[in-house]
Amino acid sequence: MKKKKKKEEFYFHNLYKCSELAEEAAGMLLSVFRTFEPGKLTENMERMHEIEHRADMKRHKLMKTASEAFITPIEREDLVALSDLIDDLTDAVEDILRQVAIGDINALRADMLPWAEILAQGIGLVKALMEEFSGFKHSKKIQKLVVEINDIEEKGDQLYMDSMKALYRETDVKTVVIWKDIYQCIENCMDTCEHVAETVQTVVMKNL
């Protein structure tokens, strides 16, 4: 019985550790933007990719274990969906920094720090949600965290609209194209936070 419980705990622990890496990536992005140095973009990209690689390794371990298991604590497709989404979250943070590097950005626009802060908040809430997930049948915090993630995503939507409006006032086409791609990456990241919350909510409803 203890062996079975330990196997079940592996899946939830793995999802939590992956969300922890997503939070690490978001924290690094925030730090890079707070002290933005264009000359360190290559170095920072390497550091970010190392975080993303560690997240990939954890995801692969979950996939392998799930594929070999006779029984999983929740449906296999739900485990895969959550693992994919959390991995997408780390990838999305890396994509933001990658687009800044591709655009050869020498100075950040004024809204990038607020963006990085709201991303860090949203991904921090995702980590808190994954921490609660193992006890979803009795947790009183999961629904509250889902609502908070939805609220953060709405704030992100408003910031996206404000950022795009300001961007479209620019007259330089290259500037518009480069920053539109960056903002889209950030929006994708915020959307993924919401998708994680929605998936958790669906899993909870299916298993109660």
Side-chain angles (χ1 to χ4, degrees):
M1 191 72 175
K2 285 184 179 179
K3 189 175 180 182
K4 180 182 176 183
K5 185 173 177 61
K6 188 175 180 180
K7 284 184 176 180
E8 290 182 353
E9 287 175 350
F10 160 78
Y11 296 103
F12 296 113
H13 182 69
N14 183 285
L15 290 171
Y16 170 74
K17 296 304 286 186
C18 287
S19 69
E20 197 172 50
L21 286 166
E23 184 186 50
E24 183 180 343
M28 183 191 155
L29 185 74
L30 179 57
S31 177
V32 168
F33 283 0
R34 277 177 173 160
T35 58
F36 187 66
E37 296 180 59
K40 290 188 175 181
L41 269 174
T42 299
E43 175 189 335
N44 287 327
M45 278 295 304
E46 290 172 356
R47 288 173 54 214
M48 183 69 81
H49 188 68
E50 190 274 330
I51 297 171
E52 189 273 337
H53 178 70
R54 281 190 279 138
D56 274 348
M57 292 301 99
K58 287 206 168 290
R59 176 181 171 275
H60 292 325
K61 189 173 182 180
L62 184 144
M63 292 297 190
K64 185 176 185 296
T65 304
S67 69
E68 295 172 351
F70 181 65
I71 297 174
T72 53
I74 60 175
E75 291 182 23
R76 211 177 307 265
E77 56 264 36
D78 291 330
L79 278 172
V80 171
L82 275 171
S83 182
D84 283 348
L85 282 169
I86 296 169
D87 187 62
D88 288 346
L89 198 52
T90 308
D91 288 346
V93 176
E94 184 182 24
D95 282 345
I96 295 166
L97 194 57
R98 183 183 292 113
Q99 286 299 323
V100 170
I102 289 171
D104 198 21
I105 302 300
N106 291 313
L108 297 179
R109 291 173 71 87
D111 55 10
M112 290 306 285
L113 191 54
W115 262 125
E117 289 170 347
I118 202 169
L119 277 174
Q121 289 174 36
I123 294 175
L125 288 169
V126 167
K127 189 189 82 167
L129 183 62
M130 288 299 101
E131 190 172 16
E132 282 292 309
F133 189 44
S134 63
F136 70 87
K137 290 185 178 180
H138 309 289
S139 175
K140 296 180 180 179
K141 295 181 182 178
I142 284 181
Q143 187 54 40
K144 180 176 179 290
L145 287 166
V146 168
V147 170
E148 288 178 1
I149 290 169
N150 288 337
D151 288 345
I152 284 285
E153 198 276 335
E154 286 181 11
K155 289 179 182 177
D157 282 344
Q158 185 59 57
L159 186 53
Y160 178 73
M161 288 179 64
D162 294 343
S163 295
M164 291 302 293
K165 282 180 181 178
L167 179 62
Y168 284 148
R169 295 189 192 106
E170 299 284 349
T171 56
D172 181 65
V173 175
K174 182 180 177 182
T175 297
V176 172
V177 170
I178 289 172
W179 282 98
K180 182 179 179 182
D181 287 345
I182 294 170
Y183 289 140
Q184 187 58 60
C185 284
I186 298 171
E187 174 72 357
N188 290 343
C189 197
M190 293 302 304
D191 286 346
T192 304
C193 288
E194 186 176 41
H195 294 330
V196 172
E198 289 170 348
T199 303
V200 166
Q201 196 170 38
T202 299
V203 170
V204 170
M205 289 175 66
K206 285 166 61 178
N207 288 276
L208 289 181

